[in-house]
């Protein structure tokens, strides 16, 4: 690395907190080297109240782009000059490109989800979807699926502090993309959940259920809903194969994918926004995600 850094090396980074555990520096630095780019990527621990100062500093220092993690994603969306449609609808940015002193905010989480499905032979266009969850991952998935032409999205969330978020997402999608039918239901209504799954092509878990320490749980206990042509996808990637995905596979679902592909492809989408080049995803997956 030290041999690669020059006086002209372009700077990219991650901001948020905590960032010490992040795999992003390894993934991007490897990809810069593999694609012959004189760029370097670092992670900076930035608390919410320092977000604006950090963003201004990055501008002054000529940073070319940065990723944003919790808790700074919403604040950064307020600070940029322009937002992509997805970032506008989600109300949060995870990728910012800096060009000629202007900040362009994007959100690649949903792009990663859609691309991961495409890599598994599934196009969300025209599909009816049931998505469990109303937090950051779920909102990104719902918004990008609507932008990419999903016909219907049924959102289920438990009646917690995220429920109002689902209602806000529904209102925003209805306003910007009225051709996509969106409804919100309480997750506690199992009968409705089963009815919507029966009427869906794609079923998604984008809650924290299934993630450690909830890895012994799945929000779908009655596995008879898993018919072979139901496409099942999880946002959770820790563990790589959740109980939800395992039970869908065991019940015969032909496509049942975990969240690791979404994570890989959201990074690849950010890399493309940063550099205009394709990330060497096969090698990145082998080295950092396996
Ligand atoms: P969040 O905190 O923003 O949202 C949490 C969601 O989980 C809410 O909908 C909440 O209601 C629900 N929830 C939490 N505990 C629950 C329970 N016991 N029963 C039912 N619902 C429950 O979190 P997030 O950032 O949206 O992350 C959700 C999951 O998605 C995490 O596992 C995260 O690691 C994963 N994720 C994956 C990617 C990826 O690229 N694959 C990207 C972002 C997040």
């Amino acid at each position: 690395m030290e041999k690669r850094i020059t006086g002209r090396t372009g700077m990219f980074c991650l901001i948020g907190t905590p960032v010490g555990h992040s795999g992003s520096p390894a993934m991007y630095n490897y990809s810069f080297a593999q694609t012959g780019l004189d760029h370097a990527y670092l992670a900076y621990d930035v608390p919410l109240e320092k977000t604006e100062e950090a963003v201004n500093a990055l501008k002054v220092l000529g940073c070319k782009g940065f990723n944003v993690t919790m808790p700074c994603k919403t604040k950064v969306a307020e600070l940029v000059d322009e937002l992509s449609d997805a970032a506008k609808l989600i109300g949060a940015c995870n990728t910012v490109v800096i060009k000629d002193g202007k900040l362009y905010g994007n959100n690649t989480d949903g792009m990663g989800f859609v691309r991961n499905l495409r890599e598994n032979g599934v196009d969300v266009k025209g599909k009816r979807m049931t998505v469990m969850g109303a937090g950051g991952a779920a909102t990104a998935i719902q918004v990008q699926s609507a932008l990419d032409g999903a016909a219907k999205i049924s959102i289920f969330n438990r009646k917690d502090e995220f429920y109002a978020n689902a209602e806000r997402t529904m209102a925003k999608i209805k306003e910007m993309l009225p051709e996509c039918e969106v409804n919100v239901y309480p997750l506690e209504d199992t009968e409705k959940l089963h009815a919507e799954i029966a009427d869906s092509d794609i079923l998604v878990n984008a809650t924290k259920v299934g993630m450690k320490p909830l890895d012994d749980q799945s929000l779908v206990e009655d596995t008879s809903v898993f018919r072979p042509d139901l496409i099942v996808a999880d946002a959770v990637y820790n563990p790589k194969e959740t109980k939800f995905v395992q039970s869908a596979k065991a019940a015969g679902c032909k496509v049942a994918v975990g969240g690791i592909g979404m994570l890989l492809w959201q990074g690849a989408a950010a890399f493309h926004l940063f550099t205009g080049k394709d990330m060497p995803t096969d090698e990145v997956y082998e080295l950092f995600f396996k």
Side-chain angles (χ1 to χ4, degrees), residues 61 71 116 141 166 168 178 205 250 267 269:
L61 294 174
N116 188 34
I141 288 168
R168 271 193 297 276
N205 173 51

Side-chain angles (χ1 to χ4, degrees), residues 133-137 157-158 160 162 207-209 211 235-237 259 262-263:
N157 206 74
R158 66 177 182 180
D160 61 11
F162 289 94
T207 70
K208 285 189 169 163
V209 177
M211 181 173 88
V236 176
Y237 56 82
M262 173 178 169
L263 188 67

Side-chain angles (χ1 to χ4, degrees), residues 229-248:
D229 66 338
L230 181 70
I231 293 143
V232 171
D234 209 325
V236 176
Y237 56 82
N238 180 19
K240 281 201 186 80
E241 204 161 83
T242 56
K243 192 178 172 203
F244 175 65
V245 169
Q246 276 173 0
S247 49

Side-chain angles (χ1 to χ4, degrees), residues 32-266:
F32 291 147
Q34 291 301 109
T35 46
L37 291 166
D38 183 14
H39 295 330
Y41 190 106
L42 290 168
Y44 296 116
D45 203 285
V46 176
L48 181 59
E49 65 277 12
K50 297 273 184 190
T51 309
E52 189 162 0
E53 270 179 77
V55 169
N56 286 335
L58 291 175
K59 260 166 91 171
V60 171
L61 294 174
C63 173
K64 292 177 182 296
F66 58 96
N67 291 120
V68 190
T69 189
M70 296 307 288
C72 306
K73 288 181 171 189
T74 310
K75 182 70 190 163
V76 168
E78 293 165 11
L79 297 171
V80 299
D81 297 293
E82 267 183 42
L83 283 173
S84 67
D85 286 345
K88 206 180 294 168
L89 282 163
I90 296 162
C93 271
N94 75 343
T95 303
V96 176
V97 175
I98 309 181
K99 211 171 169 208
D100 302 326
K102 275 184 87 178
L103 302 179
Y104 299 89
N106 301 270
N107 195 310
T108 64
D109 280 336
M111 293 160 85
F113 172 81
V114 167
R115 177 68 187 260
N116 188 34
L117 279 189
R118 200 177 313 137
E119 291 294 314
N120 284 278
V122 179
D123 186 348
V124 298
K125 195 170 168 45
K127 297 288 192 302
R128 293 159 303 164
M129 303 174 65
T130 293
V131 183
M132 300 180 288
T139 306
I141 288 168
Q142 290 146 9
V143 161
Q144 194 65 48
S145 299
L147 284 167
D148 289 346
K152 179 182 167 194
I153 304 175
S154 301
I155 305 174
F156 284 83
N157 206 74
R158 66 177 182 180
K159 283 272 192 172
D160 61 11
E161 70 275 20
F162 289 94
Y163 197 83
N165 202 28
E167 292 177 319
R168 271 193 297 276
T169 301
M170 172 172 70
K172 285 196 248 178
I173 294 177
K174 278 187 172 169
E175 196 188 336
M176 202 194 256
L177 302 156
E179 61 281 11
C180 180
E181 181 188 341
V182 186
N183 292 293
V184 176
Y185 306 102
L187 190 60
E188 292 81 359
D189 188 347
T190 311
E191 203 177 312
K192 188 67 187 162
L193 176 65
H194 288 180
E196 289 303 309
I197 295 173
D199 189 46
S200 291
D201 304 294
I202 303 174
L203 171 64
V204 184
N205 173 51
T207 70
K208 285 189 169 163
V209 177
M211 181 173 88
K212 287 177 187 159
L214 304 177
D215 50 331
D216 59 339
Q217 295 177 31
S218 163
L219 288 177
V220 176
E221 281 171 4
D222 179 357
T223 57
S224 68
V225 303
F226 291 131
R227 47 179 216 277
D229 66 338
L230 181 70
I231 293 143
V232 171
D234 209 325
V236 176
Y237 56 82
N238 180 19
K240 281 201 186 80
E241 204 161 83
T242 56
K243 192 178 172 203
F244 175 65
V245 169
Q246 276 173 0
S247 49
K249 276 188 178 168
C253 292
K254 290 195 195 81
V255 179
V257 295
I260 199 79
M262 173 178 169
L263 188 67
L264 173 72
W265 288 108
Q266 67 77 27

